[in-house]
Amino acid sequence: MKALTSHEEEYPRSYWANTSSNTVVRNMIDMADDSVKSELENLIDGGTVEKPIHEDITYGEVYESMDNLWNFMFFTGYFKKISERMGEDDTRYLTLALPNREVRYIFREKIMTWFDQKMKARDLTRLHTAFVNKDTQTLEEELTDILYETISSFDESENYYHGLVAGLLSGMKGYRTKYNRESGKGRCDLFVKPVSAEKRRLLWNLKRQEK
C-alpha cells in the first residue's frame, strides 16, 4: 500500500460500485416502462416507493415481472425498508428507499448510461432536417419527445441542456457543431457550421424559462 505524504489527501471511493457488475440494475432499467422510470428518478432524488413483498420468489422467477425484480433487489440490499403495512388481501407492502449514497450513485450512473445508449440508437434524421429547414414545430415535437424519454429531476441547469442539444446535433451530416465559442463581441450557445460554404450557418441561444 502506498504511504501518503503530508500533502496528499485520500478520499472515500465507492467500493460496491467498483466491485460489482450491477447487472440487475441494468436489467431493471431495460424492463422499466415510463411509470417505473419515474419511480427510479424519485428514488434517486431521495424519495420512496411502495411495493408488495413476497419472500418465496426463486432466482429463476426474478425477471418474470417487475414486482419480482423489486423484491429481489430489496432482499439483495439495493433498497431499505422505511415502513410496512398489510393490505386488505393480506399482502405485505413495504415503503422502500435507496439505502445510501453509494447505491444512489450506482443507480444514477447506470440510468445516465442507459439514457446515453438510447440516444445513440435513436434516429435523429427528422430532428436534423427540421433544424436545418428552421421547421420550429417539428423541432419542438422531436426535442419534447427526447426530453420526456431522457431527462431526470437532476437535469435542471441551463448548461445541461446546452450539452444535450450539442450532442443531438453533433452527428449532422455536412455540419460541425461547436459549443460556447466566443466570436466578435459575444458568443452563442451553439454554432453549427456547414462543411460547404454554400450552406447556411446556424446559431443557437438556449435559455431556461422560470415558472
Side-chain angles (χ1 to χ4, degrees):
M1 180 180 294
K2 177 183 175 183
L4 298 178
T5 64
S6 59
H7 63 275
E8 289 181 316
E9 294 184 51
E10 186 69 15
Y11 297 97
R13 289 189 287 263
S14 176
Y15 176 79
W16 194 4
N18 293 325
T19 56
S20 172
S21 66
N22 296 300
T23 303
V24 66
V25 178
R26 175 55 192 265
N27 290 337
M28 184 178 209
I29 295 169
D30 286 340
M31 293 174 61
D33 57 16
D34 290 342
S35 174
V36 174
K37 290 171 191 172
S38 178
E39 289 177 317
L40 292 175
E41 290 180 2
N42 181 47
L43 287 169
I44 293 173
D45 205 24
T48 62
V49 297
E50 185 181 70
K51 295 295 173 183
I53 295 298
H54 310 284
E55 299 183 5
D56 56 349
I57 294 174
T58 65
Y59 186 79
E61 299 172 325
V62 169
Y63 297 110
E64 289 183 358
S65 71
M66 281 304 304
D67 276 348
N68 288 359
L69 191 51
W70 283 103
N71 276 255
F72 176 76
M73 296 185 71
F74 166 65
F75 288 117
T76 52
Y78 282 97
F79 304 121
K80 67 178 180 180
K81 184 181 77 171
I82 301 299
S83 62
E84 68 175 279
R85 68 178 180 86
M86 294 297 295
E88 295 180 358
D89 57 352
D90 292 331
T91 299
R92 182 183 173 207
Y93 290 88
L94 299 188
T95 298
L96 305 174
L98 297 182
N100 51 48
R101 290 169 58 188
E102 184 173 6
V103 175
R104 183 174 291 109
Y105 166 82
I106 294 171
F107 267 78
R108 186 176 183 189
E109 289 301 303
K110 294 297 180 180
I111 289 175
M112 290 302 105
T113 298
W114 179 83
F115 282 159
D116 182 58
Q117 292 173 347
K118 186 169 184 177
M119 289 306 305
K120 289 178 180 178
R122 186 186 182 100
D123 183 4
L124 298 175
T125 303
R126 191 166 182 257
L127 174 71
H128 293 167
T129 302
F131 183 77
V132 172
N133 294 335
K134 295 191 288 186
D135 180 355
T136 56
Q137 181 175 347
T138 301
L139 192 59
E140 181 180 353
E141 292 172 358
E142 288 294 300
L143 284 175
T144 299
D145 287 345
I146 291 169
L147 293 174
Y148 271 126
E149 292 178 6
T150 59
I151 62 173
S152 74
S153 56
F154 287 96
D155 307 321
E156 58 182 353
S157 69
E158 188 175 307
N159 286 338
Y160 171 84
Y161 294 95
H162 291 178
L164 175 65
V165 176
L168 292 172
L169 300 178
S170 63
M172 289 179 61
K173 292 183 179 180
Y175 291 87
R176 295 175 182 171
T177 301
K178 296 183 179 181
Y179 173 48
N180 268 343
R181 296 293 182 92
E182 293 185 1
S183 178
K185 297 182 179 180
R187 69 180 183 184
C188 60
D189 296 329
L190 295 173
F191 176 30
V192 184
K193 181 180 180 180
V195 175
S196 171
E198 298 177 357
K199 294 182 179 180
R200 183 188 298 114
R201 296 184 178 190
L202 307 167
L203 307 178
W204 263 39
N205 276 309
L206 287 80
K207 297 300 179 185
R208 177 182 175 185
Q209 180 178 349
E210 300 290 346
K211 294 184 178 181

